[in-house]
């Protein structure tokens, strides 16, 4: 192995320019979450292995397991959902339901590294615990829509489906409950392998050719939500669980306009499966047509997972924003803050004699709420200091020399345009703010 310094494969360093965009994303999401009354929660990145095992289906092979020096079998957090279930069970006497919570932090999966998928990644989750109401499902969809729009996204579609619709599709095709899991897994690959690939997957899993054709006919339905639901109702007539699921979707859709969700931002998509096994009701993903990178986020209703920890039924619905994907897409599309540094102003040092006055000026600007960086070496020529500030991406440089001090002024230099002007010391803050 090379001795060259390098980060672990599948895990990334985020330098300042990247962190500025990531912090913008997180701050925007938190603002939306808290406007809807969601409260923050933080859990450890390490859980006992038994907490995670048996909860996420086929993806369990991606969990990082290890043993502590004391012999405890532990695992790195796979997502924020299973820890939430553990927290609800552990602290249920201290929580008031329904409980709206959000959590932001790293998760770890033994992924094969590829664009948009990493072994260490950040997620921002929001969940409503303790309500089976379709209003709760609709509010989660409203939160994700408001958040994506606040970040500057347009042209996204939130695809909705219901696990019992998929199960009904399998049953209508003559398959039993035991075979439904294979149908979910095959349909979940539709975007990657196409309809022909899904057909082959179904045939390999033992589904008859005629049944595979019926499954594809139903999951490929497209159109206005009401039309898709009506067509599914006709094809799944007589299946009580599927009919109840379709009614649930209708109820959720009826609340979306009143929650400010534009009709062009969502669609009913019978092909949406969501791979995680703990989903029990509505499932959804938000996707962009371009650039192609899979889903920006996903979620759904999981009414049994929390109850499995708590020992009693606790219905829950939620979603997870993939911060890595949001970051990569926004970077590619040139979205988010244009600045490369947090500093807004650079205060130069004219010489050693005037250094104290310049540092005092910097303190005054910081007290006024500006983000200020100062030069550190009074021996550096002003040209060198200007060049440094420009390379850092700082917009303005201030000069406080003997003439400026005598006149009670400060020279404000716009490093982007090269223009500079003398401003009265008392007016510097206002001048900088009007120039932003």
């Amino acid at each position: 192995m090379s001795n060259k310094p390098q980060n672990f494969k599948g895990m990334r360093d985020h330098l300042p320019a990247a962190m500025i965009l990531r912090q913008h994303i997180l701050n925007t999401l938190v603002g939306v979450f808290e406007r809807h009354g969601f409260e923050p929660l933080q859990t450890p990145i390490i859980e006992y292995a038994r907490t995670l095992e048996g909860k996420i289906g086929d993806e369990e092979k991606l969990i990082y397991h290890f043993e502590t020096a004391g012999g405890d079998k532990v695992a790195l957090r796979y997502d924020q959902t299973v820890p939430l279930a553990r927290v609800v069970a552990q602290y249920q006497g201290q929580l008031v339901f329904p409980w709206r919570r959000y959590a932001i932090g790293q998760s770890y999966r033994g992924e094969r590294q590829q664009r948009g998928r990493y072994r260490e990644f950040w997620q921002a989750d929001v969940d409503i615990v303790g309500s089976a109401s379709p209003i709760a499902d609709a509010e989660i969809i409203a939160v994700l829509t408001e958040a994506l729009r606040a970040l500057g996204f347009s042209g996204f579609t939130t695809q909705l489906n219901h696990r019992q619709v998929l199960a009904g599709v399998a049953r209508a095709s003559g398959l039993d409950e035991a075979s439904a899991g294979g149908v979910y897994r095959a349909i979940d690959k539709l975007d990657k392998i196409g309809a022909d690939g899904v057909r082959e997957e179904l045939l390999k899993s033992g589904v008859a050719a005629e049944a595979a054709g019926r499954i594809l006919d139903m999951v490929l339905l497209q159109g206005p939500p009401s039309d898709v639901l009506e067509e599914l109702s006709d094809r799944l007539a007589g299946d009580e669980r599927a009919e109840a699921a379709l009614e649930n979707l209708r109820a959720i859709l009826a609340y979306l306009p009143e929650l400010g969700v534009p009709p062009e931002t969502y669609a009913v998509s019978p092909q949406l499966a969501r791979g995680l096994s703990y989903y029990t009701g509505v499932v959804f993903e938000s996707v962009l047509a371009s650039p192609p990178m899979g889903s920006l986020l996903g979620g759904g209703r999981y009414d049994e997972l929390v109850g499995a920890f708590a020992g009693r039924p606790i219905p829950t619905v939620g979603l997870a924003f993939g911060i890595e994907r949001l970051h990569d897409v926004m970077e590619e599309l040139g979205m988010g803050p244009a600045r490369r540094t947090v500093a807004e102003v650079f205060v130069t040092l004219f010489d050693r004699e005037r250094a104290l006055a310049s540092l005092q000026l910097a303190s005054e600007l910081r007290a006024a709420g500006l983000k200020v960086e100062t030069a550190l070496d009074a021996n550096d020529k002003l040209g060198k200091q200007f060049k440094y500030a420009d390379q850092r991406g700082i917009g303005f440089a201030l000069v406080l020399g003997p003439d400026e001090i005598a006149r009670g002024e400060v020279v404000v230099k716009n490093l982007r345009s090269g223009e500079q002007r003398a401003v009265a010391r008392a007016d510097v803050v206002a001048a900088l703010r009007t120039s932003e």
Side-chain angles (χ1 to χ4, degrees):
M1 180 177 177
S2 170
N3 288 326
K4 180 181 178 181
Q6 57 185 314
N7 52 297
F8 184 68
K9 188 177 295 184
M11 300 185 183
R12 302 193 293 177
D13 298 311
H14 301 292
L15 299 182
M19 282 304 302
I20 288 170
L21 174 55
R22 292 171 72 83
Q23 288 179 339
H24 166 74
I25 293 169
L26 294 177
N27 292 339
T28 301
L29 295 180
V30 168
V32 173
F33 299 163
E34 294 191 352
R35 279 199 295 276
H36 285 258
F38 288 81
E39 299 175 327
L41 172 71
Q42 183 68 59
T43 62
I45 63 169
I46 294 177
E47 297 276 356
Y48 284 111
R50 63 178 180 272
T51 299
L52 305 184
E53 291 169 352
K55 310 300 190 307
I56 56 177
D58 293 341
E59 298 300 299
E60 190 166 313
K61 62 181 179 291
L62 301 179
I63 295 176
Y64 280 110
H65 294 84
F66 58 99
E67 189 170 311
T68 68
D72 290 320
K73 294 182 179 179
V74 298
L76 292 180
R77 186 169 58 202
Y78 176 89
D79 64 11
Q80 301 274 9
T81 305
V82 175
L84 170 65
R86 192 261 303 157
V87 164
V88 171
Q90 187 171 342
Y91 302 98
Q92 54 186 307
Q94 302 175 36
L95 302 173
V96 178
F97 298 109
W99 178 40
R100 291 170 167 85
R101 89 82 163 93
Y102 71 86
I104 297 173
Q106 299 106 310
S107 294
Y108 298 85
R109 298 178 188 176
E111 296 271 16
R112 181 175 63 83
Q113 183 185 1
Q114 54 187 301
R115 183 172 181 262
R117 299 184 76 91
Y118 305 96
R119 292 170 179 169
E120 178 187 62
F121 56 95
W122 282 66
Q123 288 180 309
D125 283 28
V126 285
D127 296 85
I128 299 177
V129 183
S131 174
S133 169
I135 297 177
D137 303 88
E139 183 170 1
I140 291 291
I141 295 165
V143 167
L144 75 86
T145 304
E146 184 179 332
L148 289 177
R149 296 177 77 187
L151 288 170
F153 284 100
S154 60
F156 63 88
T157 302
T158 300
Q159 302 173 343
L160 295 93
N161 198 14
H162 194 290
R163 269 298 170 87
Q164 281 301 322
V165 169
L166 280 174
V169 168
R171 290 190 292 269
S173 302
L175 303 178
D176 57 23
E177 295 289 336
S179 303
V183 173
Y184 300 158
R185 287 189 289 274
I187 293 172
D188 201 34
K189 300 176 183 177
L190 184 62
D191 288 341
K192 297 178 182 177
I193 62 178
D196 290 340
V198 171
R199 188 188 306 273
E200 288 301 314
E201 288 274 330
L202 291 170
L203 295 177
K204 288 178 183 176
S205 66
V207 177
E210 184 179 349
R214 286 199 298 271
I215 290 170
L216 280 170
D217 284 345
M218 280 190 269
V219 301
L220 292 175
L221 286 172
Q222 294 181 333
S226 58
D227 292 353
V228 174
L229 291 173
E230 184 175 355
E231 183 66 26
L232 287 170
S233 293
D234 291 342
R235 298 193 187 198
L236 300 176
D239 187 321
E240 292 185 2
R241 284 177 288 175
E243 289 179 341
L246 292 169
E247 280 304 306
N248 180 245
L249 283 174
R250 289 190 182 94
I252 294 168
L253 293 173
Y255 292 117
L256 295 182
E258 306 309 316
L259 288 169
V261 182
E264 69 273 13
T265 64
Y266 59 88
V268 173
S269 178
Q271 65 183 260
L272 180 62
R274 296 289 294 162
L276 295 174
S277 63
Y278 50 63
Y279 290 118
T280 58
V282 64
V283 290
F284 44 84
E285 288 186 353
S286 295
V287 297
L288 277 178
S290 179
M293 191 186 274
S295 64
L296 291 173
L297 57 92
R301 177 164 287 280
Y302 52 103
D303 285 347
E304 298 172 2
L305 179 63
V306 176
F309 281 87
R312 62 187 179 91
I314 302 181
T316 306
V317 60
L319 68 90
F321 289 85
I323 304 304
E324 315 308 321
R325 292 197 174 192
L326 289 175
H327 173 273
D328 291 355
V329 171
M330 291 179 69
E331 187 176 55
E332 185 171 334
L333 296 178
M335 298 168 60
R339 65 184 188 277
R340 306 192 308 274
T341 181
V342 297
E344 301 165 306
V345 182
F346 184 81
V347 175
T348 63
L349 299 182
F350 189 86
D351 55 25
R352 287 182 178 276
E353 188 177 347
R354 258 64 58 166
L356 293 179
S358 294
L359 296 177
Q360 183 181 12
L361 172 63
S363 295
E364 292 172 5
L365 298 177
R366 291 175 182 133
L370 292 170
K371 298 173 183 175
V372 181
E373 181 176 341
T374 64
L376 300 175
D377 191 342
N379 292 322
D380 286 343
K381 294 184 180 300
L382 285 178
K384 181 178 180 180
Q385 296 181 50
F386 290 152
K387 181 178 180 181
Y388 166 82
D390 186 48
Q391 288 175 331
R392 296 269 289 112
I394 302 173
F396 298 93
L398 306 188
V399 179
L400 194 60
D403 294 340
E404 288 76 31
I405 292 174
R407 293 193 298 265
E409 295 177 342
V410 177
V411 171
V412 178
K413 183 178 178 66
N414 186 320
L415 294 173
R416 296 185 181 92
S417 67
E419 297 177 357
Q420 66 181 47
R421 60 190 175 115
V423 176
R425 175 80 174 255
D427 299 331
V428 171
V429 172
L432 289 168
R433 285 180 172 156
T434 56
S435 300
E436 290 177 357

